[in-house]
Amino acid sequence: MTHDSFLKTLPGNSSARILIALGLAASMSSLSGCKGSNDKGDSAPPSAQVIQVADMNLITIDKNDVPKFPLVSAGQVDSASELTATGTVFPDISREVPVISLANGRVVDIKTRLDDNVKKGQLLFRVQSGDVSAAFNAYLKAVNDEQLANKAFMRADDLLKHGAISQAMVEQAEDSEKDAKADLTAAEEQLNVLGVDKDHPNTVVDVFAPISGVIIGQNVTNAAAAGVTLSGSATAFTIADLSTVWILCDVYENDIPKLKLGQGASFKLNAYPDHPLKGHIGDIGPVLDPSLRTAKVRIEVANPGILKLGMFGTATFTSLKKETHAVVPADAVLHLHDRDWVYLPAGGNQFKRTEVHAGKMIDGNRQEILSGLGPGQQVVNNALLLETAGNQ
């Protein structure tokens, strides 16, 4: 049966016949395509093509120019490596002193504020306290009791001389007089603790700075409660002597064996990079940070006046262990794109650029190589000259 004859046998109108015909044509085309691809065997992926790329670190120069780039053997040096760590300035807690008002009451006048520099004995604030009245009243009673006890003892001693009383009665009077003196001394001491002059009593107590330094904490305001037994803050101010400060650094646990107590260290502030400070390790923390695996290392540094609490910087420690490193002329090291390179001979008229980790400069215009090059290896004496020739 032909294609046209088959269409005539289909039910429906001409539009339906056309749609069915298109479907049949698509199916036959698909079957024909599958058969063709199977016959040709083109289902496998095409083979990969390898493109050779030249080594960008390999330089080839003219054979006649090779003598222009003499080689030099890397030397050897034994030196202690340097360890760096970030640090923050903190106050020396042994030089922090809290300012406490032993008289309970209300703050009526504040003479200083947070961050002020104060001198020892300087008036900080004043407290109006009822404790002064009670302490002065106890002092007056102690004065009266002592005077009465003294008169009784003197009278008893006179009566003993005339045989009017016994020795025991005199001793009892003497003991009472001593007790009265002890009570008077205690009352005077209480006034001194509160800062009250017994000859000029005042309900307002002056609180003075116990040391010279900077006020780094303030917990009182005017009309606030002050004193050790009130609901107000017991520590009104905190004064820190910043003549010596602490710098706390985070050092990884693998580097801890390189450090010891008393070891010297230098510190460069981010704010003053041209003013390195010298100090020594005062403590190596016994507890590691569980997430960072670091220990707190404390450097004690004398403050020249530029250190402020919270400043950041970089501390540098010199390792206790010496290591052997290669050393080459400074011209043999090429500083390119914040990285360090040297050129090694690669045979014939070729040289290979190799990355190294350069260290500090040493005597004789030589530079230490911490990694990437071993003692005895040959390098091009002038790396920049070769780099320039290779780019031409």
Side-chain angles (χ1 to χ4, degrees), residues 220-245:
V220 294
T221 58
N222 283 323
V228 295
T229 61
L230 294 182
S231 58
S233 174
T235 302
F237 291 99
T238 300
I239 300 177
D241 177 6
L242 300 182
S243 60
T244 299
V245 296

mmCIF file of all heavy atoms in Angstrom, residues 220-245:
data_model
loop_
_atom_site.group_PDB
_atom_site.id
_atom_site.type_symbol
_atom_site.label_atom_id
_atom_site.label_comp_id
_atom_site.label_asym_id
_atom_site.label_seq_id
_atom_site.Cartn_x
_atom_site.Cartn_y
_atom_site.Cartn_z
ATOM 1 N N VAL A 220 30.699 55.590 88.796
ATOM 2 C CA VAL A 220 29.849 56.484 89.573
ATOM 3 C C VAL A 220 29.572 57.749 88.791
ATOM 4 O O VAL A 220 30.347 58.155 87.926
ATOM 5 C CB VAL A 220 30.507 56.852 90.927
ATOM 6 C CG1 VAL A 220 30.634 55.637 91.815
ATOM 7 C CG2 VAL A 220 31.838 57.542 90.711
ATOM 8 N N THR A 221 28.443 58.365 89.135
ATOM 9 C CA THR A 221 28.075 59.672 88.596
ATOM 10 C C THR A 221 27.582 60.521 89.764
ATOM 11 O O THR A 221 27.436 60.038 90.893
ATOM 12 C CB THR A 221 26.968 59.548 87.540
ATOM 13 O OG1 THR A 221 25.832 58.905 88.135
ATOM 14 C CG2 THR A 221 27.440 58.752 86.346
ATOM 15 N N ASN A 222 27.323 61.770 89.516
ATOM 16 C CA ASN A 222 26.782 62.635 90.565
ATOM 17 C C ASN A 222 25.447 62.097 91.057
ATOM 18 O O ASN A 222 24.610 61.653 90.270
ATOM 19 C CB ASN A 222 26.598 64.059 90.050
ATOM 20 C CG ASN A 222 27.917 64.815 89.983
ATOM 21 O OD1 ASN A 222 28.777 64.643 90.843
ATOM 22 N ND2 ASN A 222 28.073 65.654 88.968
ATOM 23 N N ALA A 223 25.276 62.121 92.368
ATOM 24 C CA ALA A 223 24.070 61.645 93.055
ATOM 25 C C ALA A 223 23.971 60.127 93.077
ATOM 26 O O ALA A 223 22.977 59.582 93.559
ATOM 27 C CB ALA A 223 22.801 62.233 92.448
ATOM 28 N N ALA A 224 24.991 59.433 92.578
ATOM 29 C CA ALA A 224 24.970 57.972 92.632
ATOM 30 C C ALA A 224 25.379 57.504 94.021
ATOM 31 O O ALA A 224 26.011 58.223 94.789
ATOM 32 C CB ALA A 224 25.922 57.395 91.585
ATOM 33 N N ALA A 225 25.009 56.260 94.334
ATOM 34 C CA ALA A 225 25.395 55.680 95.615
ATOM 35 C C ALA A 225 26.833 55.210 95.542
ATOM 36 O O ALA A 225 27.300 54.729 94.514
ATOM 37 C CB ALA A 225 24.480 54.515 95.958
ATOM 38 N N ALA A 226 27.543 55.364 96.652
ATOM 39 C CA ALA A 226 28.931 54.919 96.716
ATOM 40 C C ALA A 226 29.175 54.266 98.063
ATOM 41 O O ALA A 226 28.509 54.570 99.057
ATOM 42 C CB ALA A 226 29.893 56.093 96.520
ATOM 43 N N GLY A 227 30.143 53.356 98.110
ATOM 44 C CA GLY A 227 30.470 52.677 99.354
ATOM 45 C C GLY A 227 30.473 51.181 99.191
ATOM 46 O O GLY A 227 29.967 50.641 98.209
ATOM 47 N N VAL A 228 31.035 50.497 100.157
ATOM 48 C CA VAL A 228 31.242 49.055 100.030
ATOM 49 C C VAL A 228 30.026 48.254 100.446
ATOM 50 O O VAL A 228 29.952 47.059 100.180
ATOM 51 C CB VAL A 228 32.458 48.621 100.869
ATOM 52 C CG1 VAL A 228 33.720 49.235 100.322
ATOM 53 C CG2 VAL A 228 32.274 49.009 102.334
ATOM 54 N N THR A 229 29.055 48.859 101.091
ATOM 55 C CA THR A 229 27.904 48.078 101.560
ATOM 56 C C THR A 229 26.591 48.509 100.932
ATOM 57 O O THR A 229 25.556 47.942 101.236
ATOM 58 C CB THR A 229 27.772 48.195 103.091
ATOM 59 O OG1 THR A 229 27.552 49.562 103.447
ATOM 60 C CG2 THR A 229 29.015 47.690 103.786
ATOM 61 N N LEU A 230 26.629 49.541 100.078
ATOM 62 C CA LEU A 230 25.395 49.982 99.437
ATOM 63 C C LEU A 230 25.166 49.231 98.135
ATOM 64 O O LEU A 230 26.001 48.475 97.661
ATOM 65 C CB LEU A 230 25.455 51.495 99.166
ATOM 66 C CG LEU A 230 25.489 52.391 100.412
ATOM 67 C CD1 LEU A 230 25.502 53.844 99.996
ATOM 68 C CD2 LEU A 230 24.293 52.121 101.302
ATOM 69 N N SER A 231 23.999 49.474 97.551
ATOM 70 C CA SER A 231 23.696 48.835 96.272
ATOM 71 C C SER A 231 24.461 49.462 95.127
ATOM 72 O O SER A 231 24.483 48.928 94.018
ATOM 73 C CB SER A 231 22.195 48.941 95.988
ATOM 74 O OG SER A 231 21.784 50.304 95.970
ATOM 75 N N GLY A 232 25.073 50.596 95.369
ATOM 76 C CA GLY A 232 25.901 51.222 94.344
ATOM 77 C C GLY A 232 27.191 50.453 94.134
ATOM 78 O O GLY A 232 27.466 49.453 94.796
ATOM 79 N N SER A 233 28.011 50.925 93.195
ATOM 80 C CA SER A 233 29.252 50.235 92.873
ATOM 81 C C SER A 233 30.286 50.452 93.966
ATOM 82 O O SER A 233 30.512 51.570 94.427
ATOM 83 C CB SER A 233 29.803 50.739 91.535
ATOM 84 O OG SER A 233 31.068 50.183 91.280
ATOM 85 N N ALA A 234 30.914 49.353 94.402
ATOM 86 C CA ALA A 234 31.969 49.468 95.411
ATOM 87 C C ALA A 234 33.203 50.130 94.813
ATOM 88 O O ALA A 234 33.888 50.898 95.483
ATOM 89 C CB ALA A 234 32.314 48.089 95.958
ATOM 90 N N THR A 235 33.494 49.810 93.540
ATOM 91 C CA THR A 235 34.654 50.397 92.862
ATOM 92 C C THR A 235 34.192 51.609 92.071
ATOM 93 O O THR A 235 33.578 51.478 91.015
ATOM 94 C CB THR A 235 35.321 49.382 91.937
ATOM 95 O OG1 THR A 235 35.706 48.236 92.685
ATOM 96 C CG2 THR A 235 36.537 49.984 91.270
ATOM 97 N N ALA A 236 34.478 52.785 92.594
ATOM 98 C CA ALA A 236 34.028 54.004 91.921
ATOM 99 C C ALA A 236 34.845 54.267 90.660
ATOM 100 O O ALA A 236 34.309 54.573 89.592
ATOM 101 C CB ALA A 236 34.130 55.188 92.877
ATOM 102 N N PHE A 237 36.168 54.164 90.781
ATOM 103 C CA PHE A 237 37.070 54.350 89.656
ATOM 104 C C PHE A 237 38.085 53.217 89.655
ATOM 105 O O PHE A 237 38.305 52.546 90.672
ATOM 106 C CB PHE A 237 37.829 55.683 89.749
ATOM 107 C CG PHE A 237 36.980 56.906 89.564
ATOM 108 C CD1 PHE A 237 36.532 57.625 90.661
ATOM 109 C CD2 PHE A 237 36.636 57.347 88.302
ATOM 110 C CE1 PHE A 237 35.763 58.759 90.504
ATOM 111 C CE2 PHE A 237 35.868 58.480 88.135
ATOM 112 C CZ PHE A 237 35.417 59.184 89.238
ATOM 113 N N THR A 238 38.704 53.015 88.494
ATOM 114 C CA THR A 238 39.853 52.118 88.386
ATOM 115 C C THR A 238 40.986 52.895 87.744
ATOM 116 O O THR A 238 40.827 53.441 86.647
ATOM 117 C CB THR A 238 39.535 50.866 87.542
ATOM 118 O OG1 THR A 238 38.456 50.154 88.146
ATOM 119 C CG2 THR A 238 40.746 49.960 87.463
ATOM 120 N N ILE A 239 42.116 52.946 88.448
ATOM 121 C CA ILE A 239 43.282 53.680 87.954
ATOM 122 C C ILE A 239 44.354 52.675 87.562
ATOM 123 O O ILE A 239 44.635 51.717 88.298
ATOM 124 C CB ILE A 239 43.827 54.631 89.032
ATOM 125 C CG1 ILE A 239 42.748 55.645 89.428
ATOM 126 C CG2 ILE A 239 45.054 55.370 88.526
ATOM 127 C CD1 ILE A 239 43.168 56.584 90.535
ATOM 128 N N ALA A 240 44.941 52.868 86.396
ATOM 129 C CA ALA A 240 46.001 51.983 85.903
ATOM 130 C C ALA A 240 47.273 52.780 85.669
ATOM 131 O O ALA A 240 47.242 53.850 85.058
ATOM 132 C CB ALA A 240 45.568 51.292 84.607
ATOM 133 N N ASP A 241 48.347 52.239 86.170
ATOM 134 C CA ASP A 241 49.669 52.817 85.901
ATOM 135 C C ASP A 241 50.149 52.240 84.577
ATOM 136 O O ASP A 241 50.467 51.048 84.478
ATOM 137 C CB ASP A 241 50.624 52.467 87.040
ATOM 138 C CG ASP A 241 52.037 52.987 86.782
ATOM 139 O OD1 ASP A 241 52.236 53.713 85.788
ATOM 140 O OD2 ASP A 241 52.942 52.661 87.578
ATOM 141 N N LEU A 242 50.192 53.065 83.529
ATOM 142 C CA LEU A 242 50.525 52.610 82.182
ATOM 143 C C LEU A 242 51.994 52.837 81.836
ATOM 144 O O LEU A 242 52.359 52.832 80.658
ATOM 145 C CB LEU A 242 49.643 53.313 81.153
ATOM 146 C CG LEU A 242 48.134 53.097 81.302
ATOM 147 C CD1 LEU A 242 47.377 53.801 80.184
ATOM 148 C CD2 LEU A 242 47.801 51.611 81.315
ATOM 149 N N SER A 243 52.838 53.008 82.849
ATOM 150 C CA SER A 243 54.262 53.139 82.559
ATOM 151 C C SER A 243 54.834 51.844 82.004
ATOM 152 O O SER A 243 55.799 51.843 81.251
ATOM 153 C CB SER A 243 55.026 53.555 83.823
ATOM 154 O OG SER A 243 54.862 52.590 84.852
ATOM 155 N N THR A 244 54.233 50.737 82.374
ATOM 156 C CA THR A 244 54.554 49.430 81.800
ATOM 157 C C THR A 244 53.242 48.757 81.424
ATOM 158 O O THR A 244 52.302 48.735 82.218
ATOM 159 C CB THR A 244 55.331 48.546 82.789
ATOM 160 O OG1 THR A 244 56.564 49.188 83.125
ATOM 161 C CG2 THR A 244 55.639 47.185 82.180
ATOM 162 N N VAL A 245 53.173 48.203 80.223
ATOM 163 C CA VAL A 245 51.938 47.581 79.739
ATOM 164 C C VAL A 245 52.222 46.155 79.292
ATOM 165 O O VAL A 245 53.372 45.733 79.153
ATOM 166 C CB VAL A 245 51.321 48.380 78.570
ATOM 167 C CG1 VAL A 245 50.901 49.754 79.034
ATOM 168 C CG2 VAL A 245 52.294 48.475 77.404
#
